[in-house]
Amino acid sequence: MNKHFEDALYYIGRAGEHAKEGVMEELDPLEARFRELTGKEEEPEPSRLEKLQDDLKNLEARAEGETKTAIQDARERIRQYRSSE
């Protein structure tokens, strides 16, 4: 294919993508308003990825708490050891 046609095809594709994004951007507020008025706004079920991310956050918080406790215990034992000498 001629280079000019390849370039034209590329730019037509890009124009289509931009047009689609523009239409979606314009329709998003209308869709949200429609859902609000009709009461059809439903919370989606969390995806597997979101569930895993929540689990990881919980594990991270628990590990952080356990680490702080372990450090405090170790410091206390060191303090007691040094005071007993």
Side-chain angles (χ1 to χ4, degrees):
M1 195 180 324
N2 188 332
K3 181 171 178 22
H4 297 290
F5 289 119
E6 290 176 5
D7 289 347
L9 185 59
Y10 169 79
Y11 287 113
I12 288 172
R14 289 289 307 247
E17 290 172 11
H18 283 281
K20 178 184 172 187
E21 290 175 13
V23 168
M24 295 302 291
E25 189 174 310
E26 289 294 319
L27 292 179
D28 279 343
L30 296 174
E31 179 185 8
R33 179 74 174 140
F34 174 78
R35 289 184 184 275
E36 181 182 317
L37 290 173
T38 59
K40 294 192 176 190
E41 187 64 36
E42 298 176 5
E43 287 293 321
E45 289 289 322
S47 68
R48 287 178 59 197
L49 176 62
E50 291 169 340
K51 288 179 186 177
L52 286 173
Q53 287 173 336
D54 288 341
D55 289 345
L56 286 174
K57 285 180 186 177
N58 292 336
L59 286 172
E60 179 183 9
R62 194 174 97 205
E64 185 177 329
E66 290 175 0
T67 302
K68 287 181 181 180
T69 303
I71 290 171
Q72 289 173 350
D73 291 345
R75 286 181 178 161
E76 181 62 27
R77 280 191 237 130
I78 291 170
R79 189 188 60 75
Q80 287 176 357
Y81 175 77
R82 287 181 178 167
S83 66
S84 68
E85 289 180 351

Coordinates of all heavy atoms in Angstrom, one line a residue:
M1 N 0.9 -1.2 0.0 CA 0.0 0.0 0.0 C 0.9 1.2 0.0 O 2.0 1.3 0.6 CB -0.9 0.0 1.2 CG -2.0 0.9 1.1 SD -3.2 1.1 2.5 CE -3.4 -0.5 3.2
N2 N 0.5 2.2 -0.7 CA 1.2 3.5 -0.8 C 1.3 4.1 0.6 O 0.4 4.0 1.5 CB 0.4 4.4 -1.7 CG 1.1 5.7 -2.0 OD1 2.0 6.1 -1.2 ND2 0.8 6.2 -3.2
K3 N 2.4 4.7 0.9 CA 2.7 5.3 2.2 C 1.6 6.4 2.6 O 1.2 6.5 3.7 CB 4.1 6.0 2.3 CG 4.4 6.6 3.6 CD 5.8 7.0 3.7 CE 6.2 7.7 4.9 NZ 5.5 7.6 6.1
H4 N 1.1 7.1 1.6 CA 0.1 8.1 1.9 C -1.2 7.4 2.3 O -1.9 7.9 3.2 CB -0.2 8.9 0.6 CG 1.0 9.7 0.2 ND1 1.5 10.8 1.0 CD2 1.9 9.6 -0.8 CE1 2.6 11.3 0.4 NE2 2.8 10.6 -0.7
F5 N -1.5 6.3 1.7 CA -2.7 5.5 2.2 C -2.6 5.0 3.6 O -3.5 5.0 4.4 CB -3.1 4.4 1.2 CG -3.6 5.0 -0.1 CD1 -2.9 4.7 -1.3 CD2 -4.8 5.7 -0.2 CE1 -3.4 5.2 -2.5 CE2 -5.2 6.2 -1.4 CZ -4.6 5.9 -2.6
E6 N -1.4 4.5 3.9 CA -1.1 4.0 5.2 C -1.2 5.1 6.2 O -1.9 4.8 7.3 CB 0.3 3.4 5.3 CG 0.5 2.1 4.5 CD 1.9 1.6 4.5 OE1 2.8 2.2 5.2 OE2 2.2 0.6 3.8
D7 N -0.7 6.2 5.9 CA -0.8 7.3 6.9 C -2.3 7.7 7.0 O -2.8 8.0 8.1 CB 0.0 8.6 6.4 CG 1.5 8.3 6.5 OD1 1.9 7.4 7.2 OD2 2.2 9.1 5.9
A8 N -3.0 7.8 5.9 CA -4.4 8.2 6.0 C -5.2 7.2 6.8 O -6.1 7.5 7.6 CB -5.0 8.3 4.6
L9 N -4.9 5.9 6.6 CA -5.6 4.8 7.4 C -5.3 5.0 8.9 O -6.2 4.9 9.7 CB -5.2 3.5 6.9 CG -5.9 2.3 7.5 CD1 -7.4 2.3 7.2 CD2 -5.3 1.0 6.9
Y10 N -4.1 5.3 9.2 CA -3.7 5.5 10.6 C -4.5 6.6 11.2 O -5.1 6.5 12.3 CB -2.2 5.7 10.7 CG -1.8 6.2 12.1 CD1 -1.6 5.3 13.1 CD2 -1.5 7.5 12.3 CE1 -1.2 5.7 14.4 CE2 -1.1 8.0 13.6 CZ -1.0 7.1 14.6 OH -0.6 7.5 15.8
Y11 N -4.5 7.8 10.5 CA -5.2 8.9 11.1 C -6.7 8.8 11.1 O -7.3 9.3 12.0 CB -4.8 10.2 10.3 CG -3.3 10.6 10.6 CD1 -2.3 10.5 9.7 CD2 -3.0 11.0 11.9 CE1 -1.0 10.9 10.0 CE2 -1.7 11.4 12.2 CZ -0.7 11.3 11.3 OH 0.5 11.7 11.6
I12 N -7.3 8.0 10.2 CA -8.7 7.8 10.3 C -9.0 6.9 11.5 O -10.0 7.2 12.2 CB -9.2 7.0 9.0 CG1 -9.2 8.0 7.8 CG2 -10.6 6.4 9.2 CD1 -9.5 7.3 6.5
G13 N -8.1 6.0 11.8 CA -8.3 5.2 13.0 C -8.2 6.0 14.3 O -9.0 5.9 15.2
R14 N -7.2 6.9 14.3 CA -7.1 7.8 15.5 C -8.3 8.7 15.6 O -8.7 8.9 16.7 CB -5.8 8.6 15.3 CG -4.5 7.9 15.4 CD -4.3 7.4 16.9 NE -4.4 8.6 17.8 CZ -3.4 9.1 18.5 NH1 -2.2 8.6 18.4 NH2 -3.6 10.2 19.3
A15 N -8.7 9.2 14.5 CA -9.9 10.1 14.5 C -11.1 9.4 15.1 O -11.9 9.9 15.9 CB -10.2 10.7 13.1
G16 N -11.3 8.1 14.7 CA -12.4 7.3 15.2 C -12.3 7.1 16.7 O -13.3 7.2 17.4
E17 N -11.1 6.8 17.1 CA -10.9 6.6 18.6 C -11.2 7.9 19.3 O -11.9 7.8 20.4 CB -9.4 6.2 18.8 CG -9.1 4.8 18.4 CD -7.6 4.5 18.5 OE1 -6.9 5.3 19.1 OE2 -7.2 3.5 18.0
H18 N -10.7 9.0 18.8 CA -11.0 10.3 19.5 C -12.5 10.6 19.5 O -13.0 11.2 20.5 CB -10.2 11.4 18.9 CG -8.7 11.4 19.3 ND1 -8.3 11.9 20.5 CD2 -7.6 10.9 18.7 CE1 -7.0 11.7 20.6 NE2 -6.6 11.1 19.5
A19 N -13.1 10.3 18.4 CA -14.6 10.6 18.3 C -15.3 9.8 19.3 O -16.2 10.2 20.0 CB -15.1 10.3 16.9
K20 N -15.0 8.5 19.4 CA -15.6 7.6 20.4 C -15.4 8.1 21.8 O -16.4 8.2 22.6 CB -15.0 6.2 20.3 CG -15.6 5.2 21.2 CD -14.9 3.9 21.1 CE -15.4 2.9 22.3 NZ -14.6 1.7 22.3
E21 N -14.2 8.5 22.2 CA -13.9 9.0 23.5 C -14.7 10.3 23.8 O -15.2 10.5 24.9 CB -12.4 9.3 23.7 CG -11.6 8.0 23.7 CD -10.1 8.3 23.8 OE1 -9.7 9.5 24.0 OE2 -9.3 7.3 23.6
G22 N -14.8 11.2 22.7 CA -15.6 12.4 22.9 C -17.0 12.1 23.1 O -17.7 12.7 24.0
V23 N -17.6 11.2 22.4 CA -19.0 10.8 22.6 C -19.2 10.3 24.0 O -20.2 10.6 24.7 CB -19.5 9.9 21.5 CG1 -20.8 9.3 21.8 CG2 -19.5 10.6 20.1
M24 N -18.4 9.4 24.4 CA -18.5 8.8 25.7 C -18.4 9.8 26.8 O -19.1 9.8 27.8 CB -17.4 7.7 25.9 CG -17.6 6.5 25.0 SD -19.2 5.7 25.2 CE -19.1 5.0 26.8
E25 N -17.5 10.8 26.6 CA -17.3 11.8 27.6 C -18.6 12.7 27.7 O -19.0 13.1 28.7 CB -16.1 12.7 27.2 CG -15.7 13.7 28.3 CD -14.4 14.4 27.9 OE1 -13.4 13.7 27.5 OE2 -14.4 15.6 27.9
E26 N -19.2 13.0 26.6 CA -20.4 13.8 26.5 C -21.6 13.0 27.1 O -22.5 13.6 27.7 CB -20.7 14.2 25.1 CG -19.8 15.2 24.5 CD -19.8 16.6 25.3 OE1 -21.0 17.0 25.6 OE2 -18.8 17.1 25.5
L27 N -21.6 11.7 26.9 CA -22.8 10.9 27.4 C -22.7 10.5 28.8 O -23.7 10.1 29.4 CB -23.0 9.7 26.4 CG -23.4 10.0 25.0 CD1 -23.6 8.7 24.2 CD2 -24.7 10.8 25.0
D28 N -21.5 10.4 29.4 CA -21.4 10.0 30.8 C -22.3 10.7 31.8 O -22.9 10.1 32.6 CB -19.9 10.0 31.2 CG -19.1 8.8 30.7 OD1 -19.7 7.8 30.3 OD2 -17.9 8.9 30.7
P29 N -22.3 12.1 31.7 CA -23.2 12.8 32.7 C -24.7 12.4 32.4 O -25.4 12.3 33.4 CB -22.9 14.2 32.4 CG -21.6 14.3 31.7 CD -21.5 13.0 31.0
L30 N -25.0 12.3 31.2 CA -26.4 11.9 30.9 C -26.8 10.6 31.4 O -27.9 10.3 31.9 CB -26.7 12.0 29.4 CG -26.5 13.4 28.7 CD1 -26.7 13.3 27.2 CD2 -27.6 14.4 29.3
E31 N -25.9 9.6 31.2 CA -26.1 8.3 31.7 C -26.2 8.3 33.2 O -27.1 7.6 33.8 CB -25.0 7.3 31.3 CG -25.2 5.9 31.7 CD -24.0 5.0 31.4 OE1 -22.9 5.5 31.0 OE2 -24.1 3.8 31.7
A32 N -25.3 9.0 33.9 CA -25.4 9.0 35.3 C -26.7 9.7 35.8 O -27.3 9.2 36.7 CB -24.2 9.8 35.9
R33 N -27.1 10.7 35.2 CA -28.4 11.4 35.5 C -29.6 10.4 35.3 O -30.5 10.3 36.1 CB -28.6 12.6 34.7 CG -29.8 13.4 34.9 CD -29.8 14.1 36.3 NE -31.0 14.9 36.4 CZ -31.7 15.0 37.5 NH1 -31.3 14.5 38.6 NH2 -32.8 15.8 37.5
F34 N -29.6 9.7 34.1 CA -30.6 8.7 33.8 C -30.7 7.6 34.9 O -31.8 7.3 35.4 CB -30.4 8.1 32.5 CG -31.3 7.0 32.1 CD1 -32.6 7.3 31.7 CD2 -31.0 5.7 32.2 CE1 -33.5 6.3 31.4 CE2 -31.8 4.7 31.9 CZ -33.1 5.0 31.5
R35 N -29.5 7.1 35.3 CA -29.5 6.1 36.3 C -30.0 6.6 37.6 O -30.7 5.9 38.4 CB -28.1 5.5 36.4 CG -27.7 4.6 35.3 CD -26.3 4.0 35.5 NE -25.9 3.3 34.4 CZ -26.2 2.0 34.1 NH1 -27.0 1.4 34.9 NH2 -25.7 1.4 33.1
E36 N -29.7 7.8 37.9 CA -30.1 8.5 39.2 C -31.6 8.6 39.2 O -32.3 8.3 40.2 CB -29.4 9.8 39.3 CG -29.8 10.5 40.6 CD -29.1 11.9 40.7 OE1 -27.9 12.0 40.3 OE2 -29.8 12.9 41.1
L37 N -32.2 9.0 38.1 CA -33.6 9.3 38.0 C -34.4 8.0 38.0 O -35.5 7.9 38.6 CB -34.0 10.1 36.8 CG -33.5 11.5 36.8 CD1 -33.8 12.2 35.4 CD2 -34.2 12.3 37.9
T38 N -33.9 6.9 37.4 CA -34.6 5.7 37.3 C -34.3 4.8 38.4 O -34.9 3.7 38.6 CB -34.3 4.9 36.0 OG1 -32.9 4.7 35.9 CG2 -34.7 5.8 34.8
G39 N -33.3 5.1 39.2 CA -33.0 4.3 40.4 C -32.3 3.0 40.0 O -32.4 2.0 40.7
K40 N -31.7 2.9 38.9 CA -31.0 1.7 38.4 C -29.5 1.7 38.7 O -28.8 1.0 38.0 CB -31.3 1.5 37.0 CG -32.8 1.2 36.7 CD -33.0 0.7 35.3 CE -34.5 0.4 35.2 NZ -34.8 -0.3 34.0
E41 N -29.1 2.5 39.6 CA -27.7 2.6 40.0 C -27.4 1.4 40.9 O -27.9 1.4 42.1 CB -27.3 3.9 40.6 CG -25.8 4.1 40.8 CD -25.0 4.1 39.5 OE1 -25.5 4.7 38.5 OE2 -23.9 3.6 39.5
E42 N -26.7 0.5 40.5 CA -26.3 -0.7 41.3 C -24.8 -0.7 41.6 O -24.1 -0.4 40.7 CB -26.8 -2.0 40.7 CG -28.3 -2.1 40.4 CD -28.6 -3.4 39.7 OE1 -27.7 -4.2 39.4 OE2 -29.8 -3.5 39.3
E43 N -24.5 -1.1 42.8 CA -23.1 -1.2 43.1 C -22.6 -2.5 42.5 O -23.2 -3.6 42.7 CB -22.8 -1.3 44.6 CG -23.0 0.0 45.3 CD -21.9 1.0 44.9 OE1 -20.8 0.6 44.7 OE2 -22.3 2.2 44.7
P44 N -21.6 -2.5 41.7 CA -21.1 -3.7 41.1 C -20.4 -4.6 42.1 O -19.9 -4.1 43.1 CB -20.1 -3.2 40.0 CG -19.7 -1.9 40.5 CD -20.8 -1.3 41.2
E45 N -20.4 -5.9 41.9 CA -19.7 -6.8 42.8 C -18.2 -6.5 42.6 O -17.7 -6.3 41.5 CB -20.0 -8.2 42.3 CG -21.5 -8.7 42.7 CD -21.7 -8.8 44.1 OE1 -20.8 -9.3 44.8 OE2 -22.8 -8.5 44.6
P46 N -17.5 -6.6 43.7 CA -16.1 -6.4 43.6 C -15.4 -7.5 42.8 O -15.8 -8.7 42.9 CB -15.6 -6.5 45.0 CG -16.7 -6.9 45.9 CD -17.9 -6.8 45.1
S47 N -14.5 -7.2 41.9 CA -13.9 -8.1 41.1 C -12.9 -9.0 41.9 O -12.6 -8.6 43.1 CB -13.1 -7.4 39.9 OG -12.0 -6.7 40.5
R48 N -12.4 -10.0 41.3 CA -11.4 -10.8 42.0 C -10.2 -10.0 42.4 O -9.6 -10.2 43.5 CB -11.0 -12.0 41.2 CG -12.1 -13.1 41.1 CD -11.8 -14.3 40.2 NE -10.6 -14.9 40.7 CZ -9.8 -15.7 40.0 NH1 -10.1 -16.0 38.8 NH2 -8.7 -16.3 40.5
L49 N -9.8 -9.2 41.5 CA -8.6 -8.3 41.7 C -8.8 -7.4 42.9 O -8.0 -7.2 43.7 CB -8.3 -7.5 40.4 CG -7.1 -6.5 40.6 CD1 -5.8 -7.2 40.9 CD2 -7.0 -5.7 39.3
E50 N -10.0 -6.8 42.9 CA -10.3 -5.9 44.0 C -10.4 -6.6 45.4 O -9.9 -6.1 46.4 CB -11.7 -5.2 43.8 CG -11.6 -4.2 42.6 CD -13.0 -3.7 42.2 OE1 -14.0 -4.3 42.5 OE2 -13.0 -2.6 41.6
K51 N -10.9 -7.8 45.4 CA -10.9 -8.6 46.6 C -9.5 -9.0 47.0 O -9.2 -8.9 48.2 CB -11.7 -9.9 46.3 CG -13.2 -9.7 46.2 CD -13.9 -11.1 46.0 CE -15.4 -10.9 45.7 NZ -16.0 -12.2 45.4
L52 N -8.7 -9.3 46.1 CA -7.3 -9.6 46.4 C -6.6 -8.4 46.9 O -5.8 -8.5 47.9 CB -6.5 -10.2 45.2 CG -6.9 -11.6 44.8 CD1 -6.2 -12.0 43.5 CD2 -6.5 -12.6 45.9
Q53 N -6.8 -7.3 46.3 CA -6.2 -6.0 46.8 C -6.6 -5.7 48.2 O -5.8 -5.3 49.1 CB -6.5 -4.9 45.9 CG -5.8 -5.0 44.5 CD -6.2 -3.9 43.5 OE1 -7.3 -3.4 43.6 NE2 -5.4 -3.6 42.6
D54 N -7.9 -5.9 48.5 CA -8.4 -5.7 49.9 C -7.7 -6.6 50.9 O -7.3 -6.2 52.0 CB -9.9 -5.8 50.0 CG -10.6 -4.7 49.3 OD1 -10.0 -3.6 49.1 OD2 -11.8 -4.8 49.0
D55 N -7.6 -7.9 50.5 CA -7.0 -8.9 51.3 C -5.5 -8.5 51.6 O -5.0 -8.6 52.7 CB -7.1 -10.3 50.7 CG -8.5 -10.9 50.7 OD1 -9.3 -10.3 51.5 OD2 -8.7 -11.8 50.0
L56 N -4.8 -8.1 50.5 CA -3.4 -7.7 50.7 C -3.3 -6.5 51.6 O -2.4 -6.4 52.4 CB -2.8 -7.4 49.4 CG -2.5 -8.6 48.5 CD1 -2.0 -8.2 47.1 CD2 -1.5 -9.5 49.2
K57 N -4.2 -5.5 51.5 CA -4.2 -4.4 52.4 C -4.4 -4.8 53.9 O -3.7 -4.3 54.8 CB -5.2 -3.4 52.0 CG -4.9 -2.6 50.8 CD -6.0 -1.6 50.4 CE -5.7 -0.9 49.1 NZ -6.7 0.0 48.7
N58 N -5.3 -5.7 54.1 CA -5.6 -6.2 55.4 C -4.3 -7.0 56.0 O -4.0 -6.8 57.1 CB -6.8 -7.1 55.5 CG -8.1 -6.4 55.2 OD1 -8.1 -5.2 55.4 ND2 -9.1 -7.1 54.7
L59 N -3.7 -7.8 55.1 CA -2.5 -8.5 55.5 C -1.4 -7.6 55.8 O -0.6 -7.8 56.8 CB -2.1 -9.5 54.5 CG -3.0 -10.8 54.3 CD1 -2.6 -11.6 53.1 CD2 -2.9 -11.6 55.6
E60 N -1.3 -6.6 55.0 CA -0.2 -5.6 55.2 C -0.4 -4.9 56.6 O 0.6 -4.7 57.3 CB -0.2 -4.6 54.1 CG 0.9 -3.5 54.2 CD 0.8 -2.5 53.1 OE1 -0.2 -2.5 52.3 OE2 1.7 -1.7 53.0
A61 N -1.6 -4.5 56.9 CA -1.9 -3.8 58.1 C -1.6 -4.7 59.3 O -1.0 -4.3 60.3 CB -3.3 -3.3 58.2
R62 N -2.0 -6.0 59.2 CA -1.8 -6.9 60.3 C -0.3 -7.2 60.5 O 0.2 -7.2 61.6 CB -2.5 -8.2 60.0 CG -2.6 -9.1 61.2 CD -3.5 -10.3 60.9 NE -2.5 -11.4 60.5 CZ -2.8 -12.4 59.8 NH1 -4.0 -12.6 59.3 NH2 -2.0 -13.4 59.6
A63 N 0.4 -7.3 59.4 CA 1.8 -7.6 59.5 C 2.5 -6.4 60.1 O 3.5 -6.5 60.9 CB 2.4 -7.9 58.1
E64 N 2.1 -5.2 59.7 CA 2.7 -4.0 60.3 C 2.5 -3.9 61.8 O 3.4 -3.6 62.6 CB 2.1 -2.8 59.6 CG 2.7 -1.5 60.0 CD 2.2 -0.3 59.3 OE1 1.8 -0.4 58.1 OE2 2.1 0.8 59.9
G65 N 1.3 -4.2 62.2 CA 1.0 -4.3 63.6 C 1.8 -5.3 64.4 O 2.3 -5.0 65.5
E66 N 1.9 -6.5 63.8 CA 2.7 -7.6 64.5 C 4.1 -7.2 64.5 O 4.8 -7.5 65.5 CB 2.5 -8.9 63.7 CG 1.1 -9.5 63.9 CD 0.8 -10.7 63.1 OE1 1.8 -11.1 62.3 OE2 -0.3 -11.2 63.1
T67 N 4.6 -6.5 63.5 CA 6.0 -6.1 63.5 C 6.3 -5.1 64.6 O 7.3 -5.2 65.3 CB 6.4 -5.6 62.1 OG1 6.1 -6.5 61.1 CG2 7.9 -5.1 62.1
K68 N 5.4 -4.1 64.7 CA 5.6 -3.1 65.8 C 5.6 -3.7 67.1 O 6.4 -3.4 68.0 CB 4.5 -2.0 65.6 CG 4.7 -1.1 64.5 CD 3.6 -0.1 64.4 CE 3.8 0.8 63.2 NZ 2.8 1.9 63.1
T69 N 4.7 -4.7 67.3 CA 4.6 -5.4 68.6 C 5.9 -6.2 68.9 O 6.4 -6.1 70.0 CB 3.4 -6.3 68.7 OG1 2.2 -5.6 68.4 CG2 3.3 -7.0 70.0
A70 N 6.4 -6.9 67.9 CA 7.6 -7.7 68.0 C 8.8 -6.7 68.4 O 9.6 -7.1 69.2 CB 7.9 -8.5 66.8
I71 N 8.9 -5.6 67.7 CA 9.9 -4.6 68.0 C 9.9 -4.1 69.4 O 10.9 -4.0 70.1 CB 9.9 -3.5 66.9 CG1 10.3 -4.0 65.6 CG2 10.8 -2.4 67.4 CD1 10.2 -3.0 64.4
Q72 N 8.7 -3.8 69.8 CA 8.5 -3.3 71.2 C 8.9 -4.4 72.2 O 9.6 -4.1 73.2 CB 7.0 -2.9 71.4 CG 6.6 -1.6 70.7 CD 5.1 -1.3 70.9 OE1 4.4 -2.2 71.3 NE2 4.7 -0.1 70.4
D73 N 8.5 -5.6 72.0 CA 8.9 -6.7 72.9 C 10.4 -6.9 72.9 O 11.0 -7.1 74.0 CB 8.2 -8.0 72.4 CG 6.7 -8.0 72.6 OD1 6.2 -7.1 73.4 OD2 6.0 -8.9 72.1
A74 N 11.0 -6.8 71.7 CA 12.5 -7.0 71.7 C 13.2 -5.9 72.4 O 14.1 -6.1 73.2 CB 12.9 -7.1 70.2
R75 N 12.7 -4.7 72.3 CA 13.3 -3.5 73.0 C 13.1 -3.7 74.5 O 14.1 -3.4 75.2 CB 12.7 -2.2 72.5 CG 13.1 -1.8 71.1 CD 12.5 -0.5 70.7 NE 13.0 -0.1 69.4 CZ 12.4 0.8 68.6 NH1 11.3 1.3 69.0 NH2 13.0 1.1 67.4
E76 N 12.0 -4.1 74.9 CA 11.7 -4.4 76.3 C 12.7 -5.4 76.9 O 13.2 -5.3 78.0 CB 10.3 -4.8 76.6 CG 9.9 -5.0 78.0 CD 10.1 -3.7 78.9 OE1 10.0 -2.6 78.4 OE2 10.3 -3.9 80.1
R77 N 12.8 -6.5 76.1 CA 13.7 -7.6 76.6 C 15.2 -7.1 76.7 O 15.9 -7.4 77.6 CB 13.6 -8.8 75.6 CG 12.4 -9.7 75.9 CD 12.5 -11.0 75.2 NE 11.3 -11.1 74.4 CZ 11.3 -11.3 73.1 NH1 12.3 -11.6 72.4 NH2 10.1 -11.4 72.5
I78 N 15.6 -6.3 75.7 CA 16.9 -5.7 75.7 C 17.1 -4.8 76.9 O 18.1 -4.9 77.6 CB 17.2 -5.0 74.4 CG1 17.4 -6.0 73.2 CG2 18.5 -4.2 74.5 CD1 17.4 -5.4 71.9
R79 N 16.1 -4.0 77.1 CA 16.1 -3.1 78.3 C 16.2 -3.9 79.6 O 17.1 -3.5 80.5 CB 14.9 -2.2 78.3 CG 15.0 -1.0 79.3 CD 13.7 -0.3 79.5 NE 12.6 -1.1 79.9 CZ 12.4 -1.6 81.1 NH1 13.2 -1.3 82.1 NH2 11.3 -2.3 81.4
Q80 N 15.5 -4.9 79.7 CA 15.5 -5.8 80.9 C 16.8 -6.4 81.1 O 17.4 -6.5 82.2 CB 14.4 -6.8 80.9 CG 13.0 -6.2 81.1 CD 11.9 -7.3 81.0 OE1 12.2 -8.4 80.7 NE2 10.7 -6.8 81.3
Y81 N 17.4 -6.9 80.0 CA 18.7 -7.6 80.0 C 19.8 -6.7 80.5 O 20.6 -7.0 81.3 CB 19.0 -8.2 78.6 CG 20.4 -8.8 78.5 CD1 20.6 -10.1 79.1 CD2 21.4 -8.1 77.9 CE1 21.9 -10.6 79.0 CE2 22.7 -8.7 77.9 CZ 22.9 -9.9 78.4 OH 24.2 -10.5 78.3
R82 N 19.8 -5.4 79.9 CA 20.8 -4.4 80.3 C 20.6 -4.0 81.7 O 21.6 -3.7 82.4 CB 20.7 -3.3 79.3 CG 21.2 -3.6 77.9 CD 21.2 -2.4 77.0 NE 21.7 -2.7 75.7 CZ 21.6 -1.9 74.7 NH1 20.9 -0.8 74.7 NH2 22.1 -2.3 73.5
S83 N 19.4 -3.9 82.2 CA 19.2 -3.4 83.6 C 19.6 -4.5 84.6 O 19.9 -4.2 85.7 CB 17.8 -3.0 83.8 OG 16.9 -4.1 83.7
S84 N 19.6 -5.8 84.2 CA 19.9 -6.9 85.1 C 21.4 -7.1 85.2 O 21.8 -7.8 86.1 CB 19.2 -8.2 84.6 OG 19.8 -8.7 83.4
E85 N 22.2 -6.5 84.4 CA 23.6 -6.7 84.4 C 24.3 -6.0 85.6 O 24.0 -5.1 86.2 CB 24.3 -6.3 83.1 CG 24.0 -7.2 82.0 CD 24.7 -6.7 80.7 OE1 25.2 -5.6 80.6 OE2 24.6 -7.5 79.7

